[in-house]
Amino acid sequence: MSEADVLAEFRAADALLEGHFVLSSGLHSPRYLQCARVLMDPRRGARLAEALAARLPAAVRGQVTAVVSPAMGGVIAGQEMARALGVEAMFLERPTGVFELRRGFRLVAGQRVLMMEDVVTTGLSSREAIAAIAAAGGETVAAAALVDRSNGAADLGVPFFPLIRLDVPSYPADALPAELAAIPATKPGSRAA
């Protein structure tokens, strides 16, 4: 699946948005990829996950025995990736502000995990998820995401394999370009504003 094919999937789902958006990281951006919309069609989600799974090096695919994703955005992406890899899927939650496995999910000591996100912008949530996997006894051998908004700049501390890398500008709230500041901001993500 080429970059054009991936973007066509987002466009077909009306998931490539233009305007002024506040990202989960707190940064502002003129473009937003709404992964929830692209994943609401299970066939589309399966196509995207299968394409990403095929891009993982064989050594990574051969080690992974579970996919763990942060809730809320990564849950469906993680489920589809686990299906593509033929392994179990689990997700992390933040009941007290820190990611943890709940609902009876557990990792065996040393279990090799792929951490799966929908979108990575700064990598903060991904690094927090990787720390939670380690705290639960797992070993994150790699991370994957449908979209890398950092265009390769985010350091997750493990090999990182996105389906697509985008160079979409993002800005702190106090450093917005005039054309973005002139548009009312919306927060389409899953975290409260």
Side-chain angles (χ1 to χ4, degrees):
M1 187 175 273
S2 70
E3 180 175 313
D5 294 332
V6 174
L7 289 175
E9 294 280 9
F10 275 84
R11 286 187 183 101
D14 291 327
L16 180 56
L17 309 176
E18 304 279 338
H20 179 180
F21 305 99
V22 180
L23 308 175
S24 294
S25 64
L27 297 174
H28 293 240
S29 180
R31 289 177 77 194
Y32 188 81
L33 290 171
Q34 180 54 275
C35 286
R37 284 206 47 92
V38 84
L39 292 169
M40 67 189 262
D41 178 343
R43 293 168 302 221
R44 181 175 283 123
R47 283 193 300 272
L48 294 171
E50 288 164 7
L52 180 52
R55 289 187 188 178
L56 294 176
V60 170
R61 288 192 314 266
Q63 291 182 60
V64 171
T65 61
V67 173
V68 177
S69 303
M72 183 67 203
V75 173
I76 296 171
Q79 179 72 31
E80 290 300 334
M81 178 57 82
R83 182 192 327 262
L85 294 174
V87 299
E88 292 183 333
M90 296 174 239
F91 57 88
L92 300 159
E93 297 176 83
R94 297 181 199 247
T96 62
V98 177
F99 278 132
E100 62 182 83
L101 288 173
R102 300 184 56 180
R103 302 176 193 267
F105 293 147
R106 54 186 149 295
L107 297 169
V108 175
Q111 186 169 359
R112 295 185 174 199
V113 171
L114 175 73
M115 193 286 299
M116 180 70 189
E117 284 266 28
D118 55 349
V119 178
V120 170
T121 300
T122 65
L124 177 61
S125 290
S126 297
R127 288 187 301 274
E128 291 173 348
I130 290 167
I133 291 165
E139 177 190 345
T140 303
V141 296
L146 295 177
V147 179
D148 175 9
R149 283 184 50 98
S150 81
N151 198 29
D155 179 6
L156 307 186
V158 297
F160 176 41
F161 303 97
L163 182 58
I164 188 171
R165 282 194 162 105
L166 296 177
D167 187 13
V168 179
S170 55
Y171 310 94
D174 60 355
L176 297 178
E179 63 275 10
L180 197 58
I183 302 169
T186 61
K187 183 155 179 59
S190 61
R191 291 192 203 170

